[in-house]
Amino acid sequence: MDSKKAMTNRQTKNRLHRTPFVLITLLLCLAAGNLSAAQWRAKRVPLEETIAGICFPSSQIGYVVTSGGKYGATYDGGESWTVFSISDKAVLEDVFFRTNDTGLAVGRRGQIYRTIDGGKQWEDRRLKDDSTTWFTSALFLTDSIALATGLTPGANMDGVLYRSTDAGITWKKLDITGMRFGELFVGKGVPVCFQSYGKLHYSTDMGATWQSLATVSGKPGRSTAFYNNTGIICGSDAMCAFSSDRGKTWTSVPLEGEAALTSSLLISDSLGFVAGTGGHILATRDGGRTWKKEVPLPVTVDFADLASNGKRIFAVGASGFILFREIKE
């Protein structure tokens, strides 16, 4: 893939089910003796639902959204979080902020919420003619152009892509086919892209038109990450693959187990992470060719999303847990 415009790496992410609170409490007690030696540390946001998405528009300011229609904000790089409600009727799946103030939160039943004041107020911009779409990802490409991907629940789980040219106020459905559209990604030197079943879809004209490249057949992809020429993708049934030519060709990497990998993140050409169900956080230090599970973790939950604020890596998931570690090669 080639890009007409360099952009900062930005990515959006996925959602899972809650792990029982009793189990989490037990795991915390068991892990307490090892916390001082662990690379990963845990913070508990004051809620019990799944944290489905996380985004850092700057190093100090970050946002999360939950399956219960709430959002949380940090203003100190993730040290502390304050939780607010967007809507008690919302089931949110992803959050994306272009600036510290301007952001989108999307979810099930065609739900789209927009803020221009850092979350103090959220405008309800849900689809009026489509209450079935399950949005899993959203991002801004410019101050005015935004995209949202997802699926239509049902036997086929057809992929859905919407585009806005007025900063998320109104949305138009694009005519692009595929199964279960994955997380949107845009990065420096890489056009905006997302996965479906066996394909990577990308656009070089701000999402107006789309082209496709083959990835890995037989397994649905969920998340995409690029850093320069290096790319990684992951998905259901422990699907994982890497690319060394900016997505033109892909090589599958066999991983143990059947975890649903829901999020990916590249920190450099070599260092990257994927996360998913069953407490899986795996790291690569050779550009996706080999992967090793991160241990020990202070808690083991179903992870939904990964993000970085430039200094730390964050993993979010079930029962209001946020795990983080310092970025080290």
Side-chain angles (χ1 to χ4, degrees):
M1 294 186 295
D2 296 315
S3 175
K4 293 183 178 179
K5 185 177 182 180
M7 305 187 76
T8 303
N9 285 359
R10 303 300 292 274
Q11 184 174 11
T12 62
K13 296 303 154 181
N14 264 338
R15 358 301 163 189
L16 307 168
H17 303 292
R18 187 173 72 182
T19 300
F21 180 71
V22 174
L23 175 59
I24 296 300
T25 303
L26 175 62
L27 289 168
L28 278 174
C29 293
L30 292 174
N34 296 323
L35 283 177
S36 60
Q39 283 186 306
W40 290 87
R41 289 180 284 168
K43 283 194 175 293
R44 184 70 187 274
V45 178
L47 47 81
E48 292 189 26
E49 62 229 44
T50 294
I51 299 177
I54 182 171
C55 175
F56 277 88
S58 63
S59 62
Q60 293 298 303
I61 297 178
Y63 298 93
V64 296
V65 293
T66 78
S67 60
K70 297 180 180 64
Y71 83 96
T74 181
Y75 305 100
D76 55 12
E79 288 294 334
S80 61
W81 296 81
T82 305
V83 177
F84 309 90
S85 178
I86 294 179
S87 170
D88 58 6
K89 297 181 180 179
V91 182
L92 300 175
E93 299 284 349
D94 193 33
V95 62
F96 184 92
F97 273 73
R98 178 168 174 79
T99 68
N100 290 340
D101 296 321
T102 303
L104 294 169
V106 297
R108 305 183 191 185
R109 300 189 295 273
Q111 293 166 342
I112 301 175
Y113 296 90
R114 172 181 179 267
T115 182
I116 57 174
D117 59 7
K120 295 180 180 65
Q121 295 180 329
W122 291 87
E123 304 170 17
D124 187 346
R125 295 294 174 179
R126 77 183 71 188
L127 303 179
K128 302 302 181 184
D129 58 347
D130 185 351
S131 61
T132 61
T133 289
W134 182 341
F135 285 118
T136 57
S137 181
L139 58 71
F140 279 103
L141 295 176
T142 68
D143 289 341
S144 57
I145 298 175
L147 299 170
T149 59
L151 57 91
T152 299
N156 295 326
M157 291 190 293
D158 294 329
V160 177
L161 173 63
Y162 277 79
R163 184 172 187 256
S164 172
T165 57
D166 56 9
I169 297 174
T170 61
W171 295 83
K172 179 181 178 180
K173 187 176 181 179
L174 300 187
D175 185 18
I176 177 171
T177 60
M179 180 185 293
R180 220 167 90 169
F181 289 169
E183 306 296 329
L184 290 155
F185 176 88
V186 65
K188 185 178 180 180
V190 180
V192 61
C193 57
F194 64 89
Q195 292 180 72
S196 65
Y197 200 97
K199 292 182 179 180
L200 182 71
H201 306 278
Y202 68 96
S203 172
T204 58
D205 58 6
M206 298 294 172
T209 60
W210 294 81
Q211 303 176 63
S212 299
L213 294 167
T215 56
V216 180
S217 62
K219 293 182 180 180
R222 290 297 303 166
S223 182
T224 309
F226 282 95
Y227 192 98
N228 294 332
N229 289 334
T230 301
I232 56 174
I233 57 176
C234 65
S236 301
D237 302 324
M239 184 274 251
C240 188
F242 73 91
S243 172
S244 301
D245 55 12
R246 202 172 293 179
K248 294 182 177 67
T249 60
W250 294 88
T251 301
S252 294
V253 180
L255 298 178
E256 294 182 2
E258 298 179 352
L261 299 175
T262 58
S263 189
S264 60
L265 179 68
L266 276 174
I267 302 299
S268 68
D269 292 295
S270 56
L271 180 61
F273 298 84
V274 295
T277 58
H280 282 81
I281 301 179
L282 295 93
T284 179
R285 288 171 173 80
D286 56 11
R289 290 165 177 80
T290 60
W291 294 86
K292 184 177 180 181
K293 191 170 183 179
E294 292 280 274
V295 292
L297 297 179
V299 294
T300 301
V301 299
D302 288 339
F303 293 108
D305 201 6
L306 293 168
S308 171
N309 68 348
K311 299 178 180 179
R312 291 172 171 173
I313 302 157
F314 295 82
V316 298
S319 297
F321 275 102
I322 298 178
L323 271 63
F324 68 94
R325 53 159 286 185
E326 308 301 319
I327 294 178
K328 294 180 181 180
E329 288 285 350

